[in-house]
Amino acid sequence: MSVWTKLNTLFRASAEEPLHHLVDANSIRIFEQEIRDAEKAIQQAKLQLATVMAEQKQLQRHNQALEENISNKERQTCEALDKQEEALARDLAELIAEDEQLLQQQRKQVAYLEKQALHLKRQLRIAANGIQKYQRELTLAKANRTAHKALGNLNGYSSGLSASLQEMSSSLDKIKRQQTRASEMDDALREIDAELNGEQLGDRLRQAGIASGEHDADKVLERLRKQRAA
């Protein structure tokens, strides 16, 4: 729920009260709710991070099994070549090529997930530190509000009240700067995601005649023959 949605709800409940009085009367409650919302968002981010890390580990296990499978097929291909079973050797080589291509793709995915996990960890640390600071600011704001009410009962404002209001204004400025920083961090995250998801890079490399690292059966057979000859 956004701040304006909460303000709108409060406004409907107190239609006869001026809006600026309504905001002043409920600013602390709104700020407390924003902190609670941020804490819930952190918990959700932790679950997302755990999902990314689990997917990364699962892919790593699958890659290990795939590497072992490729090694076994290479041994079988060599045996087929020794027995002059060219057709069988080619079939096995085609399977090896497919497995190698899949392994290459999944290694890239593991690297991407690792970057995402590191980024999420940094974001969580920043968010946790930010919430702690907001909580300290909230405590200060409550203290300032209490002081303001106490001094408001006096006939006139003292220099202490002026200082208290100045501190409240400074606290509000800090909150606004922190919120701007959070918005900029979100924009940066979306920009990073867009760059990391450059799925057309492989097509552009192929169009330019640049090798993409893909494998085929002929290359596998040529490599294995060279290994046997050596």
Side-chain angles (χ1 to χ4, degrees):
M1 182 181 294
S2 68
V3 174
W4 289 112
T5 301
K6 289 179 280 188
L7 287 176
N8 187 38
T9 302
L10 290 170
F11 181 74
R12 291 198 306 271
S14 306
E16 297 180 358
E17 187 176 3
L19 180 59
H20 66 279
H21 289 163
L22 190 62
V23 172
D24 290 342
N26 293 277
S27 59
I28 298 297
R29 294 175 59 190
I30 290 172
F31 190 32
E32 286 179 317
Q33 182 60 46
E34 288 172 340
I35 290 178
R36 287 192 290 269
D37 291 343
E39 290 173 340
K40 290 180 181 178
I42 284 182
Q43 292 301 320
Q44 292 175 352
K46 287 181 179 179
L47 291 176
Q48 292 175 355
L49 175 59
T51 300
V52 170
M53 294 174 67
E55 180 68 17
Q56 179 185 351
K57 290 180 179 179
Q58 183 177 359
L59 272 177
Q60 288 173 335
R61 289 194 298 270
H62 188 268
N63 287 349
Q64 184 177 0
L66 196 56
E67 290 171 355
E68 294 174 355
N69 189 44
I70 290 173
S71 178
N72 185 51
K73 282 188 174 67
E74 287 179 342
R75 179 184 56 78
Q76 293 174 338
T77 303
C78 290
E79 291 179 2
L81 290 173
D82 289 338
K83 296 180 179 180
Q84 305 299 318
E85 295 287 346
E86 289 289 332
L88 178 58
R90 171 164 288 277
D91 290 341
L92 288 168
E94 288 178 353
L95 293 176
I96 292 173
E98 293 175 0
D99 287 345
E100 287 180 338
Q101 186 173 4
L102 177 60
L103 180 61
Q104 185 184 55
Q105 293 172 352
Q106 291 189 167
R107 282 173 175 169
K108 291 180 180 179
Q109 185 65 16
V110 168
Y112 170 74
L113 290 176
E114 184 177 1
K115 290 181 180 179
Q116 287 295 92
L118 290 173
H119 181 74
L120 283 173
K121 288 177 182 179
R122 287 194 297 267
Q123 289 294 96
L124 282 173
R125 285 195 296 269
I126 292 171
N129 292 336
I131 285 181
Q132 290 178 357
K133 185 173 183 179
Y134 280 138
Q135 288 172 336
R136 292 193 295 269
E137 294 288 348
L138 176 61
T139 300
L140 177 60
K142 286 182 176 180
N144 287 338
R145 176 60 61 85
T146 300
H148 177 72
K149 289 182 178 179
L151 292 173
N153 294 328
L154 301 176
N155 292 328
Y157 290 100
S158 66
S159 59
L161 177 58
S162 298
S164 177
L165 292 175
Q166 185 176 1
E167 290 176 359
M168 292 178 67
S169 176
S170 177
S171 298
L172 180 58
D173 290 340
K174 289 180 182 179
I175 291 171
K176 290 181 178 179
R177 288 196 298 270
Q178 290 169 342
Q179 290 174 341
T180 300
R181 173 64 174 170
S183 177
E184 291 172 349
M185 290 298 296
D186 289 340
D187 292 341
L189 176 60
R190 286 191 292 270
E191 181 179 348
I192 291 172
D193 288 340
E195 293 179 358
L196 291 176
N197 288 329
E199 298 175 353
Q200 297 180 352
L201 181 59
D203 294 335
R204 291 170 59 193
L205 288 172
R206 283 190 292 273
Q207 291 175 2
I210 300 174
S212 63
E214 296 181 352
H215 301 273
D216 56 43
D218 291 331
K219 290 181 180 180
V220 172
L221 284 174
E222 182 181 355
R223 186 184 71 234
L224 294 175
R225 284 192 176 101
K226 289 180 179 180
Q227 290 177 355
R228 294 176 65 251

